[in-house]
Amino acid sequence: MVDPPMNMARLAAVDAAQAARVLNEVREARLAGKRARIAPRPVIEQSWARVLRSGVDPEQARGARLLSAEEVGRRRRESPLRHVLPVLREGLLSSVADVARHIMVVADAEGRVLWREGAPAVLRKADVLGFEVGADWREGAVGTNGVGTPAVVRRPVQVFAAEHFVRSHASWTCSGAPITDPRDGRLLGVVDVSGPLETMHPATLAWVDSVAKLAEARLRELHLTSLERLRTVGAPVLARLEGRALLVDRDGWTAAVTGMPYVRRLPLPNSLSPGRRWLAALGSCAVEPLAGGWLVRAADETGAAVRMTLDLSRADRRTLTVSGAAGPWSRELSARHAELLLLLAEHRAGRSAAGLAEDLFGDASRTVTVRAEMSRVRRYLGALLLDRPYRFREDADVEVLLPEEPSELLPHSTAPALARLRTPARASAGASPGTECEHPVRTE
């Protein structure tokens, strides 16, 4: 038996109009729940299934409102794709003999159209479809298409004629390829070449994909160049330092290290500023700005006292404050993390995942949930939190500030262990305000 998708590809290459008619029959049959005489390509059939589940109207797509000019400008400034627009223009517009019949569209990872260039006549036709700057071109917004579908499947896709889910798009052919961040594989966006139905050519998809790969290579080159520039600036500084230190760019990618093993990337908070900071991977650090990045110096806390204050005295606000050699830092806690840290303060010798599950849920089998939450706690406590069993670092001085009324201790918590701690008998077994109890939990 001949593979039906291959038949369709050959038919489209020979007679685009006839292929479009066949595809329209296939689309209508599938929408009616009937068996089509030719099966759609798997990538298209799977896309149609996703779009049907999302509730897109096959007769008229109703995408989200256009982004404002200000929002488009902001996204353009923040998108790494702005650096490779020359590569995309040169590869997809400048060297094409029939450029007057195509447009190039560049969308971000959310499917929002940020740039659009090409033949004025084709741009006007695209406006009628809502294929314009600021438009939402995700599959879930406008159905199967050359922007949204490659973003989902993370590979190049050509969408021809009635392979588009929405009827009004069936007069177009679109070839899109994802562009990913060469550093970590994160989707940055999609580049698409679109035009009227008669412009369809089987080689267009390979052409678009090759230009997308060139764009990724350019991003990799820019990244390495920026790290080399940072290394040149910071190397003399590192040479004079003792202890652990790193040069990292604004995204945490490492240019150079001293006094410690090389790490490819240092996780940084979303908003980092100079000064004494707590980084989960290193603990307390001194952060200093450099051209294009940061100098991060790990504080040597060997033998230095670390004090942790868990403030649960207010029902509406739960905070953790850590004070060490590099100065104090604080974090507001979720109710679940407050429960876990309180339990660890109660059990300084440590608590297993099963024990914490029993404390929180009355069910020792719910260890997966506990481990997931403890993994999130470790992101900000770093080396202060040990495991097997879970416990605070032995030399940490842990203090818990409790409410005056035991019943106000995390009042919304349903954890069995918290219910026991709220009972007057249990509270009286602890310390009076300002004194230490036999375990390291203290109240004030």
Side-chain angles (χ1 to χ4, degrees), residues 139-259:
E139 267 194 352
V142 295
T144 306
N145 70 88
V147 171
T149 301
V152 172
V153 301
R154 300 294 292 272
R155 60 185 176 88
V157 178
Q158 186 171 69
V159 183
F160 173 67
E163 287 183 330
H164 288 90
F165 184 79
V166 176
R167 186 186 301 277
S168 59
H169 303 166
S171 61
W172 283 70
T173 178
C174 305
S175 300
I179 300 177
T180 58
D181 191 327
R183 302 173 301 178
D184 55 14
R186 176 174 57 95
L187 179 68
L188 299 177
V190 173
V191 61
D192 167 83
V193 167
S194 293
L197 187 62
E198 60 272 15
T199 65
M200 185 270 176
H201 192 283
T204 303
L205 185 62
W207 164 49
V208 174
D209 184 37
S210 66
V211 175
K213 294 292 192 296
L214 286 175
E216 292 176 349
R218 177 57 178 161
L219 288 171
R220 183 180 296 106
E221 178 186 343
L222 290 171
H223 172 60
L224 295 176
T225 299
S226 67
L227 289 182
E228 181 59 34
R229 187 182 304 115
L230 178 59
R231 190 178 300 116
T232 301
V233 170
V237 179
L238 279 184
R240 296 193 298 268
L241 296 179
E242 296 182 358
R244 297 176 297 157
L246 306 88
L247 295 174
V248 298
D249 68 10
R250 297 294 180 184
D251 295 319
W253 296 96
T254 303
V257 303
T258 186

Side-chain angles (χ1 to χ4, degrees), residues 255-288:
V257 303
T258 186
M260 61 181 293
Y262 174 81
V263 292
R264 188 164 180 255
R265 188 179 188 183
L266 178 67
L268 298 178
N270 292 333
S271 179
L272 183 63
S273 57
R276 294 290 185 178
R277 299 290 177 262
W278 176 269
L279 301 180
L282 295 175
S284 297
C285 297
V287 178
E288 301 176 31

